[in-house]
Amino acid sequence: MEHDTILGRRRFLLSGAALGCSAAASPLLTPISLASAPWDNRLVVIILRGGMDGLDVVQPYGDPALAGLRGAGLAVGEAAGATDLDGFFALHPALAPLLPLWRDGDLAFAHAVSTPYRDKRSHFDGQDLLEAGTDYVPGAGHSRDGWLNRMLQTVPGLAQETAFAIGREELLILKGEAPVSDWAPGTRLGLSPQAELLLRKVYAPEPDFRDALDEALALTEEIEAAEKAAAEDDAGMAMQQMMAAAPGNRGKGHFQVAEFAVERLRADTRIASFSLTGWDTHASQKYGIGTALGRLADVILTLKVGLGPVWDKTAVVAMTEFGRTARENGTKGTDHGTGGAMMLAGGVVRGGRVMSQWPGLAEADLYAGRDLMPTADVRAYAAATMRELLGLDRQTLETAIFPGLDMGGLSGIIR
């Protein structure tokens, strides 16, 4: 592609904030280079930080024990506004905007899943294990690199543009020896003519900084040109219309993250990961989870509309560190639990189904008498997705990428 030849492996330094008259702050800078990957499909991994309540998101209203576990604060089923999916599971009303994807076969869920993490119920440990992708050994430390990065290490010849970690926090899932680029909302170099002139004068004696400034300005022009081109095609126009129909949303962090992911995935990026927060619903869950699910729906739709034909080459995996208790607590919320649910979306996903070996919600069926019993490992679904989407072999997935994982017979995630 043209920008490969222009910016192929050049490195640049891009300011993390708008620069005013102080040039001293300008080396707040992030190195990035551009390259393509040996496959054409895209994988997006969304970390849902805080422990999403899968029993509220994908409600097993066909299980007779559910009604007795959830009180007035967490009413479930069609009477509470949820939409029936298959006669047993119903979808939370805040995800209603995604129902067209369900009907088109671009949306699926896996239920009664978890990482190997058990009993301690710490967000920090749970998220570390989710992103590290390793087995849980009580008292032992976790891997300090992430499973997406280890996946990249198995593919030779990749450069930083292949994978983007998007957001303000460090993502363990993409940390490791494989080259990965980072971006956070607001990290575009926007300079007034006066500020640019000042920087050029300050950097004139420093060739490295002078060259870095030239590179950053060139990249900004490239991004703006790509955005303009995208806006002129059908998908770009559709996304603009969708965003215009939601006044006040433009500029919100989750939209910015999704829009940047769209921009890069339509170009050379093949792997993107970011996180969404707001899932720790100890009290007044009805309101908190509705807001969080609304943001998740916004992100999925922004990806679908913005990617246009690239959506048909894309799989999105949204996963959380653990589920929540089966019983509603005294503050109309739920506490940290074990089994939960994950979402899979995209034009390559074999959707329109909830995948589950349902364990039941009767007292004797609950994990430790309080949580949904996990019957599958979230890593197995992620591994099966990568096996079918990217062509990775099972041995690599079970040893190098997810050490200790047994994928079992899980397959058929991707069309």
Side-chain angles (χ1 to χ4, degrees), residues 2-226:
E2 183 178 353
H3 66 269
D4 261 331
T5 59
I6 297 174
L7 291 172
R9 295 184 180 274
R10 299 187 316 181
R11 299 177 67 81
F12 66 90
L13 297 173
L14 182 59
S15 171
L19 298 176
C21 9
S22 173
S26 57
L28 301 171
L29 310 169
T30 303
I32 301 179
S33 62
L34 303 181
S36 58
W39 57 75
D40 198 31
N41 288 334
R42 276 76 161 168
L43 175 64
V44 181
V45 179
I46 306 175
I47 304 297
L48 307 176
R49 298 197 187 281
M52 182 181 74
D53 182 9
L55 292 175
D56 200 1
V57 176
V58 184
Q59 302 170 4
Y61 76 101
D63 190 311
L66 180 63
L69 294 168
R70 299 288 166 115
L74 289 175
V76 296
E78 294 177 281
T83 301
D84 172 67
L85 296 177
D86 58 7
F88 186 85
F89 292 105
L91 190 64
H92 190 285
L95 287 183
L98 299 186
L99 286 170
L101 275 67
W102 172 270
R103 290 190 286 267
D104 290 344
D106 288 0
L107 179 68
F109 299 92
H111 220 317
V113 298
S114 75
T115 71
Y117 185 59
R118 296 290 183 273
D119 301 326
K120 298 299 183 181
R121 301 183 177 89
S122 158
H123 287 302
F124 300 106
D125 288 344
Q127 290 170 17
D128 276 356
L129 195 74
L130 174 68
E131 296 186 60
T134 55
D135 274 338
Y136 175 57
V137 179
H142 306 309
S143 170
R144 297 320 300 167
D145 60 357
W147 59 265
L148 267 182
N149 193 280
R150 292 196 299 273
M151 183 274 287
L152 293 170
Q153 292 174 41
T154 69
V155 183
L158 299 185
Q160 281 181 277
E161 173 68 2
T162 301
F164 258 97
I166 305 172
R168 299 189 183 280
E169 84 281 17
E170 184 179 42
L171 284 173
L172 173 59
I173 195 172
L174 272 168
K175 185 177 179 181
E177 294 181 4
V180 172
S181 295
D182 298 277
W183 179 86
T187 56
R188 181 169 302 181
L189 187 61
L191 298 175
S192 68
Q194 295 83 358
E196 182 179 338
L197 180 62
L198 174 61
L199 281 179
R200 291 194 180 281
K201 287 183 177 179
V202 171
Y203 286 166
E206 300 290 341
D208 288 343
F209 283 158
R210 184 183 64 232
D211 292 346
L213 176 62
D214 289 340
E215 299 278 358
L217 291 170
L219 180 73
T220 297
E221 292 177 2
E222 291 265 337
I223 291 175
E224 290 172 349

Side-chain angles (χ1 to χ4, degrees), residues 378-401:
V378 294
R379 299 178 302 165
Y381 281 96
T385 299
M386 290 193 293
R387 182 182 185 184
E388 298 170 4
L389 183 74
L390 307 178
L392 302 179
D393 67 89
R394 178 169 179 166
Q395 182 178 3
T396 298
L397 287 161
E398 293 182 335
T399 57
I401 300 173

Side-chain angles (χ1 to χ4, degrees), residues 183-402:
W183 179 86
T187 56
R188 181 169 302 181
L189 187 61
L191 298 175
S192 68
Q194 295 83 358
E196 182 179 338
L197 180 62
L198 174 61
L199 281 179
R200 291 194 180 281
K201 287 183 177 179
V202 171
Y203 286 166
E206 300 290 341
D208 288 343
F209 283 158
R210 184 183 64 232
D211 292 346
L213 176 62
D214 289 340
E215 299 278 358
L217 291 170
L219 180 73
T220 297
E221 292 177 2
E222 291 265 337
I223 291 175
E224 290 172 349
E227 288 177 339
K228 181 178 179 181
E232 290 172 353
D233 68 19
D234 291 342
M237 289 298 291
M239 187 161 74
Q240 283 191 328
Q241 292 166 3
M242 182 182 76
M243 297 302 297
N249 284 334
R250 189 75 178 181
K252 287 186 178 179
H254 65 290
F255 276 111
Q256 290 181 317
V257 164
E259 289 164 4
F260 181 81
V262 163
E263 176 186 296
R264 304 323 303 155
L265 291 164
R266 285 172 64 93
D268 288 341
T269 296
R270 296 298 180 264
I271 307 293
S273 186
F274 53 89
S275 64
L276 296 175
T277 59
W279 306 96
D280 197 17
T281 51
H282 288 283
S284 303
Q285 178 169 310
K286 175 181 178 181
Y287 304 103
I289 201 168
T291 299
L293 287 171
R295 287 196 293 264
L296 178 57
D298 288 340
V299 165
I300 299 298
L301 289 177
T302 300
L303 291 172
K304 189 218 184 295
V305 175
L307 288 174
V310 177
W311 176 256
D312 291 333
K313 306 173 183 178
T314 300
V316 182
V317 178
M319 55 209 312
T320 193
E321 66 262 34
F322 45 63
R324 306 191 76 81
T325 51
R327 292 180 181 84
E328 180 179 336
N329 64 24
T331 55
K332 298 182 180 180
T334 51
D335 299 317
H336 299 173
T338 309
M342 62 189 296
M343 174 189 288
L344 299 102
V348 296
V349 169
R350 191 159 68 88
R353 57 188 176 141
V354 179
M355 297 169 281
S356 179
Q357 303 169 34
W358 188 247
L361 293 173
E363 184 76 22
D365 297 324
L366 297 178
Y367 178 80
R370 69 193 295 275
D371 302 336
L372 175 64
M373 177 72 73
T375 58
D377 193 320
V378 294
R379 299 178 302 165
Y381 281 96
T385 299
M386 290 193 293
R387 182 182 185 184
E388 298 170 4
L389 183 74
L390 307 178
L392 302 179
D393 67 89
R394 178 169 179 166
Q395 182 178 3
T396 298
L397 287 161
E398 293 182 335
T399 57
I401 300 173
F402 296 111

